[in-house]
Amino acid sequence: SAMASLTDVRARNNGAGSSGTAISMMDVSDLEGGGFSPTKTRRYARAAPQGGGLAKLMHFAQHADPQQVKAAAAVGALVLLYLAVRTAWTAVFVLVACFASLAFAAYLAKWVLSKDEGTADMQEVSDAIREGADGFFATQYNLIGKLAGVLAVVIYLIYSARALTKEQTDAGIGQQTFAVLTTFSFCTGALASAASGYVGMWVSVRANVRVAGAARRSAREALVVATRAGGFAAIVVVAMTVLGVSVLFTFYSFVFGVGRAGGTSINEMPLMLVGYGFGASFVALFAQLGGGIYTKAADVGADLVGKVEAGIPEDDPRNPAVVADLVGDNVGDCSARGADLFESIAAEVISAMILGATMAKKANIPDSTGFIMFPLVVHALDCLVSAAGIMSVGEKPSLNPNGGRKEDPYEVLKGGYAVAMGLSVVGFGIATRVMLYVEDAPSAWFHFFGCGMIGTASAYAFVFIAQYYTDYKYPPVRVIAEASTTGHGTNIIAGVGVGMESTAAPVICISAAIVSAYWFGQTSGLTDKSTGEPTGGLFGTAVATMGMLSTAAYVLTMDVFGPIADNAGGIVEMSDQPESVRECTDALDAVGNTTKATTKGYAIGSAALASFLLFSAYMDEVEAFTGKPFKQVDIAVPEVFVAGLLGSMIVYLFTAFACTAVGRSAQEVVTEVRRQFAERPGIMSREEKPDYGRCVSIVARSALREMIKPGVLAVGAPVAVGVAFRLIGRATGQELLGARAVAGMLMFATVAGILMALFLNTAGGAWDNAKKYVETGAHGGKNSEAHKAAVTGDTVGDPFKDTAGPSIHVLIKMLATITLVMAPMFLD
């Protein structure tokens, strides 16, 4: 399929004429062969993609008959509702809420797409961005699909030979059946995660030009368009996560006769879903790595040569890397973040379901459906309350906002967040009373409601802490900006210091949340009927994690808002719109930087709590399969301590791979941009046009190549550690050494990963906004020596905050999910 050719619209507006030579973008085939093919000059055409199976599937989805799609969806919905009725009425509520959320998302998409696409110049830039993003997405996910296919075969072979729990054997579940179902769950999770990534990109490449068009009329309209576009992606991602887990749960419950005489206990169902979480994590990791490398390599290359060396503005059409940078916003920030959040919620839901089933079994609760389905209900409510928050951001600005001063877009978005959070608290209270009430412990539901409120408070604390360290309204960022006045080195030193300092407050917050939620659960009155000991602690931490993620859809809305606003600013700059329009998009872009930074803080906080849940679920799984107590891990055992060191090493080595990947890719971009400036001096005078397609092709090829090594490390390392120490344990007579070593690795890797991600995310965001602060006119403003130093800090921070940092969110959860799936390999 031909990618869009992009005419240098600014040159045309300055007298070059509309008949100027078109500037070519790459062909999808440039990516598939792993190398370069000559760039081809051609006009934008909607031909059927030739990028492999996924590209054809994307083309089919985009051009399918709407009536046939509606009919198929209606039939599917009826089948799912039938299965839900056979399982539990709670499942019916969850499915109906998901269907309603998807219908609301369709309304948002229709509303956004009804907005005009601005001028012809804007549309030309937007078409080029869309084609570049579509081409990279199709090629990237074809590669991820092949890797997932190989892993699916490995999972099937492992489960074909694994032992079953006593309960599974008594229910008549065979090894082959369990192997097929787990492999199916993995493939379903991987496919749904990929779809979530595509949804994030699909809306961003269509909304960017509409936000730019709306900015010509009013700042408030542009804000609402960007918010609702982000809301569409967020609602679809969360609804699909809940729908996917619900469908598998109800299907497996139907197949194994849950609730029928002689059927399997409902407590055994959550363990069959671990493959779904692993599939979601696997795709999210590679999506985040590939997208992060792409976007930051282009960004760093464009900034170092364009801003520092050539002294031209950001998104200037004379910069050969500018289109690659704008494409990267979509494949890195939107597509990868959608897959990331999908994976986060899936991992949290499945681990909470496992812990709920385990607790209900120990406490001998007659009907454990409420404890198992509770996570699904919370996230179904998440979609509904977040929808209310999104719609609370109205099209008409408030009267005399801020005493008549200019309206702050960030305050408007925070108002929507307050609406979503308030409704979430009410819904959470109702859900805990209805689903978690136990006659033997009548106050248990209130204790679990308290756990949820701890999680909600933690979410708000994380958002504020991240804002404090990354918003230039506060001292930390201004310290970095001031350090820029004395040179590049002092800027880097100040940024590293701020990043390291920023780990303290979140760690204290996480620690307080885990301990307090655990003891709220322990004092709920639920006891282990066999020992008489309290047993609600771990489920209390699970409920706290649900409370933290109870407004995840609105948080993702604010996250996707950022790259959409950034793209809109690029389109405005490249199409030579009036300065007033650029000021409008710059204001939204600045807010987008803040929302992206704060949502990353939120993401690592939820990842920390979810990782604790997954670790606990792993301990429960080992106990279930061995029939032996497995409640503590002794790090005084040398082999366990060494495995922990290896877990910490994995985090640092993974970070090194991710950062150096961006560095190598950025070097190629810098070399190419310098070459074009040197060989074609007419670019700077607007007499010649840059070859945007060359930079797009370089970055795409490099991202696909570089994402493999860190991804393989993340998948292979925990398996290697578990198998190696299992063999050592067999040789030395140490029982379950493989399982204990993996537990130690998980503990150390989680701790190291949380601290590393906090440092990377915050330092990168602070460097970015220190540059933005200087660009407002502080310390000499644009093109000053302080600005050049601030740009250097920003380029150092780019791979920190947008490649390595977000990838570690996924890494620490994927290490846990892969151990859940591969646990049979570590057992004696």
Side-chain angles (χ1 to χ4, degrees), residues 289 292-293 652-663 706 710 799 803-805 807:
L289 280 170
I293 293 168
Y652 281 81
L653 191 58
F654 178 89
T655 303
F657 287 167
C659 289
T660 53
V662 173
E706 297 285 358
T803 306
S807 297

Side-chain angles (χ1 to χ4, degrees), residues 666-687:
Q667 286 175 342
E668 295 183 51
V669 177
V670 167
T671 301
E672 174 60 23
V673 175
R674 285 174 176 168
R675 182 193 67 79
Q676 292 197 34
F677 281 158
E679 295 179 3
R680 303 166 71 178
I683 289 176
M684 292 301 293
S685 62
R686 307 185 192 280
E687 295 173 359

Side-chain angles (χ1 to χ4, degrees), residues 179-228:
V180 169
L181 291 179
T182 303
T183 305
F184 176 70
S185 296
F186 171 80
C187 294
T188 304
L191 184 62
S193 183
S196 297
Y198 180 67
V199 164
M201 189 199 70
W202 184 91
V203 67
S204 67
V205 297
R206 286 161 177 79
N208 51 17
V209 69
R210 289 170 169 85
V211 174
R216 295 178 303 145
R217 294 182 290 275
S218 77
R220 182 63 176 230
E221 184 182 350
L223 170 68
V224 174
V225 174
T227 302
R228 293 190 178 183

